[in-house]
Amino acid sequence: AELDDSVEYARHLARLQVAADQLVAAEASYDALVETYPDDADVVFERARLKVRRGRAADAAASVERLIGLVGDDRLLRTRLLQLYGRLNDQDGIERTLRALIRLDETNPHYHLMLSDFFVRNDRLPEAVELLEQALGANPNNYDILSELGALNRSLGRDIAADSLDAVVTDVKGLTADQIAARAERVYARALSDSSAADTAIELLESGLELDASHYEMLTMLGDLRYRRGEFLAAGGLLSRALAVNPKNADVWLQASIAFLNADQPRKAAEIGEEGLLLFPGRIDLLETTAHSYLVVYENTRAIELYSEALELLKDDELWSAGLAAEAHASLGFLYSRRSMHEESDGHYRTALRIDSSHVFALNNFAYSLASREVNLDEALGLAERAIAIQPENPSLQDTLGWILYLLDRPEEARDWILKAIQQAGGNATMHEHLGDVEHSLGLVESARQRWRRALKLDPDRASLREKIGRTSP
């Protein structure tokens, strides 16, 4: 229908109201226009756009649906509708819109994969498989479809079908290293959220590296996948090779350092960290990781330098400050405690706990530091109890709490906690020595000697154990 002069005026007014940011008035104007002229596509479109701006997702979706009915189906309109239904979490609307997008562009696998992912999230795996099998007919060489279809079949226990599909994806005969990398990158992207795709990605990447052992992208992808699987030594090696090719990514330096730290190679972690800091001197997480590596190998001076440098940088960086500052102060507390610089140590522990009152490392180690000096034992007990409330099954925390209870002349309770710690983790030399001391105080002399002997086997250089065993031997 044609608009008469009065309606043209109303429409012009609505546009002026939008331009003047009088959105409530403009919304009322457009609602009245659409009610009077529901078949005018321009008015419906303008109303839909305003509804989006006003945050009225349901009204906007209804307007776009009406617009599609007026002008015919359109991929751009359907894409906007999909966003609106996603915002509304309207499952029926999402599915209906994705199906419409597939009808509009049957050869584009993007929408098939989106609908497949929708089915998976809603536990409709067989429908996802059926959909992707249809898509594969039109796109037989699409490796996103092949890898996803393989993962779905494996989830449904159809291993033969999954193996067949994976074999197509991993068949790299005649491909260059760059072509293999491009194929692997798509599978790798899926593997980050779907562990079943990781094996395929790893196989592809290993094949590609056989052709080009210094391919940076494949080294970083494979290193990351190995890291995510907890294969830290392999990850560290791959990421180090990547850094030799291209040292310009600070995140790779950080991940390589953490990988070696987790692989019980702290000196290698420190070495990687120091190299990374030459290129990225202000990178706070790299500073702290390197500092922690030195802490582990008892290079206390360098560790203190790096943690102090990190804290200096954190003063001007609110984005990083809270968590990393607490970690740095807690670690400095531990390092100064090692040097028996207790005033400095206590100050850093207290600062760490002011920043993060639930920092377990600070709570436990501050408690143990006080206990080892036999000062402020009531405060130490409170700290240890707060730590154990956060991680009740942590053997180190159990041992700390038990030892403090022993020092407070509560040996029965102390024995229970230290026994629990040893039962949980097998016990280190300190735990067995603690338990021996507690049992000796309870008159269990032979049991105490057995505990001390066990501790001596674990730490033959601990003189205190030889003295205790000798003193109590018959």
Side-chain angles (χ1 to χ4, degrees):
E2 293 182 359
L3 297 179
D4 58 31
D5 289 342
S6 62
V7 177
E8 281 288 2
Y9 170 78
R11 185 174 178 180
H12 182 64
L13 175 63
R15 288 174 175 171
L16 288 174
Q17 288 167 331
V18 171
D21 208 29
Q22 297 174 3
L23 302 186
V24 174
E27 188 173 15
S29 296
Y30 274 119
D31 286 346
L33 272 168
V34 170
E35 187 174 347
T36 306
Y37 288 91
D39 296 334
D40 186 275
D42 289 337
V43 171
V44 172
F45 173 73
E46 289 176 22
R47 179 179 184 264
R49 189 165 55 187
L50 179 58
K51 292 294 186 182
V52 171
R53 188 171 171 183
R54 293 277 291 144
R56 316 272 200 225
D59 289 344
S63 292
V64 175
E65 291 275 19
R66 174 179 286 182
L67 189 59
I68 289 170
L70 293 172
V71 303
D73 224 340
D74 176 84
R75 189 169 68 174
L76 186 60
L77 289 175
R78 285 288 180 186
T79 302
R80 189 60 176 134
L81 193 55
L82 184 63
Q83 294 171 341
L84 291 167
Y85 282 136
R87 193 180 303 174
L88 292 164
N89 196 27
D90 183 333
Q91 301 298 300
D92 290 339
I94 291 169
E95 181 176 350
R96 189 171 63 252
T97 305
L98 283 170
R99 289 189 182 279
L101 283 164
I102 289 171
R103 286 195 302 272
L104 287 167
D105 194 355
E106 292 183 354
T107 60
N108 186 343
H110 176 68
Y111 300 119
H112 291 84
L113 287 163
M114 287 182 70
L115 184 53
S116 167
D117 186 56
F118 172 84
F119 286 148
V120 171
R121 291 199 310 271
N122 288 278
D123 296 321
R124 295 162 62 182
L125 269 61
E127 291 175 80
V129 169
E130 182 181 354
L131 176 72
L132 290 183
E133 285 175 343
Q134 293 170 4
L136 192 61
N139 301 272
N141 296 316
N142 186 287
Y143 295 101
D144 291 329
I145 294 175
L146 284 163
S147 62
E148 176 65 5
L149 198 48
L152 288 172
N153 274 292
R154 202 168 299 284
S155 297
L156 289 167
R158 302 170 183 172
D159 289 342
I160 295 175
D163 290 342
S164 175
L165 290 158
D166 288 346
V168 176
V169 177
T170 56
D171 182 5
V172 296
K173 274 186 261 184
L175 298 183
T176 66
D178 284 340
Q179 288 171 329
I180 295 171
R183 186 183 298 182
E185 187 173 6
R186 295 198 295 270
V187 183
Y188 165 79
R190 300 199 68 81
L192 298 182
S193 58
D194 179 4
S195 59
S196 62
D199 288 337
T200 306
I202 288 170
E203 188 174 344
L204 273 171
L205 291 165
E206 288 178 337
S207 298
L209 288 170
E210 287 177 9
L211 290 179
D212 182 356
S214 61
H215 196 289
Y216 176 78
E217 287 77 14
M218 287 196 285
L219 286 167
T220 54
M221 285 188 283
L222 186 56
D224 183 53
L225 289 172
R226 293 293 185 200
Y227 182 92
R228 290 169 184 272
R229 286 190 162 189
E231 299 169 9
F232 296 117
L233 188 58
L238 288 159
L239 295 169
S240 296
R241 286 165 57 189
L243 290 167
V245 177
N246 177 7
K248 296 180 181 178
N249 189 329
D251 290 337
V252 180
W253 286 103
L254 177 66
Q255 190 176 29
S257 181
I258 295 173
F260 282 118
L261 192 56
N262 288 335
D264 294 324
Q265 294 205 10
R267 290 195 180 278
K268 182 64 175 175
E271 176 189 323
I272 292 284
E274 291 282 20
E275 288 184 59
L277 287 170
L278 292 174
L279 293 171
F280 304 97
R283 181 74 185 233
I284 293 169
D285 47 4
L286 189 55
L287 270 168
E288 291 211 5
T289 299
T290 310
H292 184 72
S293 303
Y294 282 120
L295 180 153
V296 173
V297 297
Y298 285 80
E299 292 193 20
N300 299 329
T301 299
R302 184 58 177 152
I304 289 171
E305 289 173 355
L306 291 171
Y307 277 123
S308 299
E309 184 180 343
L311 284 174
E312 192 63 33
L313 290 168
L314 285 167
K315 287 179 182 177
D316 303 317
D317 196 336
E318 293 182 3
L319 180 65
W320 290 89
S321 58
L324 289 174
E327 189 67 27
H329 280 294
S331 298
L332 283 168
F334 183 71
L335 287 161
Y336 281 118
S337 179
R338 273 182 179 173
R339 292 184 163 185
S340 298
M341 298 171 67
H342 299 304
E343 185 175 347
E344 292 85 348
S345 173
D346 292 358
H348 281 293
Y349 279 136
R350 293 189 193 284
T351 302
L353 291 171
R354 275 199 302 273
I355 297 168
D356 180 2
S357 61
S358 61
H359 196 291
V360 170
F361 181 88
L363 287 167
N364 180 71
N365 288 4
F366 189 18
Y368 195 77
S369 174
L370 294 172
S372 67
R373 291 175 270 153
E374 298 191 33
V375 299
N376 300 340
L377 291 179
D378 288 336
E379 181 183 9
L381 179 62
L383 293 165
E385 288 175 336
R386 282 163 59 190
I388 208 80
I390 298 166
Q391 293 184 11
E393 301 305 317
N394 187 316
S396 294
L397 310 189
Q398 293 166 347
D399 176 67
T400 296
L401 179 56
W403 186 241
I404 293 168
L405 288 167
Y406 165 70
L407 294 174
L408 287 168
D409 199 24
R410 294 160 63 178
E412 294 285 358
E413 295 171 79
R415 185 168 184 261
D416 289 343
W417 278 108
I418 300 173
L419 266 174
K420 186 183 290 188
I422 290 172
Q423 289 164 357
Q424 288 255 117
N428 56 29
T430 298
M431 290 178 187
H432 284 285
E433 183 173 10
H434 283 169
L435 187 55
D437 292 356
V438 172
E439 291 185 333
H440 186 263
S441 74
L442 290 167
L444 305 171
V445 179
E446 183 53 37
S447 180
R449 274 199 298 268
Q450 290 176 9
R451 294 294 179 185
W452 290 332
R453 289 191 186 105
R454 176 72 184 275
L456 191 61
K457 284 183 181 178
L458 294 169
D459 185 0
D461 297 326
R462 193 172 290 202
S464 61
L465 291 165
R466 296 185 185 281
E467 189 275 328
K468 290 172 185 175
I469 293 168
R471 178 165 38 86
T472 60
S473 293

